[in-house]
Amino acid sequence: MHIEHSEFQDQLLRGLAHKMNNILSLFHGYLGLLMDDKQLDAATLAGLARIKEGAGAASELMDRAGSLARPSSLIWREINLCDFLRCLKPSFTSYLRQKSTLEINCSDEVPHIWADMSHLRVATLEIVRNACEASPKGGVVTITAAAESPVPLGLSSAAQPITWLSLTVTDHGPGIPPHLTEKVFSPFFTTKQKQNAAGLGLTVALGLVQRMGGVVRIDSQPGHTAVRLLLPSRSETM
Ligand SMILES: Nc1ncnc2c1ncn2[C@@H]1O[C@H](COP(=O)(O)OP(=O)(O)OP(=O)(O)O)[C@@H](O)[C@H]1O
Ligand SMILES: [Mg+2]
């Protein structure tokens, strides 16, 4: 799947996310004030808390949708993937289900990558969040950073010598059935029952990775799913 961008759509999405977030922060502010009222009965307070939660979820949704809109330029910088993963570890851990564990494999031999830090961060978090949500109780989620040599199939770099790097996130959950491996990238596609599952994680991850010149590959069977972000260490889009 390839995500197409048009300047008009990007502008519209960015503008919408910005305006909606302004409105939602007003909601938050006023709800906070109302909820400070000590005279409120429990039922009213609970109702206000639900509205506040809804406003928070809407705000997160707008942020994620907004991150899909192409910014005027990416900020390319050299990133040490091991440090990057180490810094994000607390966020990864916060997604883990009870008794599940996280393993990070990254050696100093992994070359640095040139990428947009914020894009890489959001894409990685979305993939890890999915793996943690799919992981069975007590399961292990693994994140592995590696240099890809030889160049992965379909990513010929004949015209330009590029080192490809990968971040692979593995879990031992139920897997993605073969007939859904393309569909899961579609906006708003979700199989999750949980409230607030918008079906945006993979769409966002794919959009951001593609913008950095990379691809997302899924290799899944029941009990073993590996989602791989493949990125050129120096992108043609720089
Ligand atoms: N590691 C995984 N194991 C099993 N299924 C997965 C995995 N990652 C993604 N999926 C499937 O892909 C679907 C789409 O994922 P995506 O991240 O886009 O949305 P979501 O996780 O359902 O919702 P959101 O990310 O908005 O909370 C999921 O609903 C699930 O069916
Ligand atoms: Mg998700």
Side-chain angles (χ1 to χ4, degrees), residues 3 32 38 40 52 56 84 101 105 147 160 178 185 188 194 196 198-199 205 225 230:
I3 295 179
K38 301 280 178 271
L40 290 180
K52 196 157 186 249
F84 168 79
T101 46
N105 301 322
Q160 204 183 346
F185 291 105
F188 306 111
K194 72 165 181 154
N196 302 342
T225 297
L230 283 156

Side-chain angles (χ1 to χ4, degrees), residues 127-198:
I127 303 300
V128 174
R129 175 146 84 163
N130 280 343
C132 292
E133 286 172 353
S135 187
K137 228 181 187 179
V140 183
V141 171
T142 312
I143 309 171
T144 306
E148 293 289 320
S149 178
V151 172
L153 223 59
L155 298 177
S156 163
S157 60
Q160 204 183 346
I162 296 175
T163 307
W164 286 84
L165 296 166
S166 64
L167 278 180
T168 305
V169 182
T170 310
D171 68 73
H172 301 284
I176 301 172
H179 69 283
L180 292 183
T181 41
E182 272 289 306
K183 212 166 179 192
V184 289
F185 291 105
S186 307
F188 306 111
F189 176 83
T190 183
T191 58
K192 294 177 187 168
Q193 304 299 320
K194 72 165 181 154
Q195 216 190 0
N196 302 342

Side-chain angles (χ1 to χ4, degrees), residues 26 37 42 44 80 111 115 119 136 144-145 169 185 193 217 222 229 232:
L26 271 179
D37 184 349
T44 312
N80 174 331
H119 277 26
T144 306
V169 182
F185 291 105
Q193 304 299 320
R217 290 199 174 155
L229 308 186

Side-chain angles (χ1 to χ4, degrees), residues 4-23:
E4 299 294 338
H5 286 272
S6 86
E7 188 49 40
F8 173 73
Q9 284 170 346
D10 284 347
Q11 241 178 14
L12 193 67
L13 197 52
R14 263 202 312 273
L16 189 64
H18 180 68
K19 299 265 181 219
M20 279 299 288
N21 271 332
N22 285 348
I23 296 169

Side-chain angles (χ1 to χ4, degrees), residues 32-71:
L33 285 177
L34 285 173
M35 288 170 78
D36 279 346
D37 184 349
K38 301 280 178 271
Q39 317 278 309
L40 290 180
D41 60 84
T44 312
L45 202 57
L48 290 174
R50 287 287 302 275
I51 299 174
K52 196 157 186 249
E53 203 182 297
S59 186
E60 190 195 323
L61 186 65
M62 289 320 301
D63 278 345
R64 292 170 86 201
S67 73
L68 267 178
R70 185 168 32 188

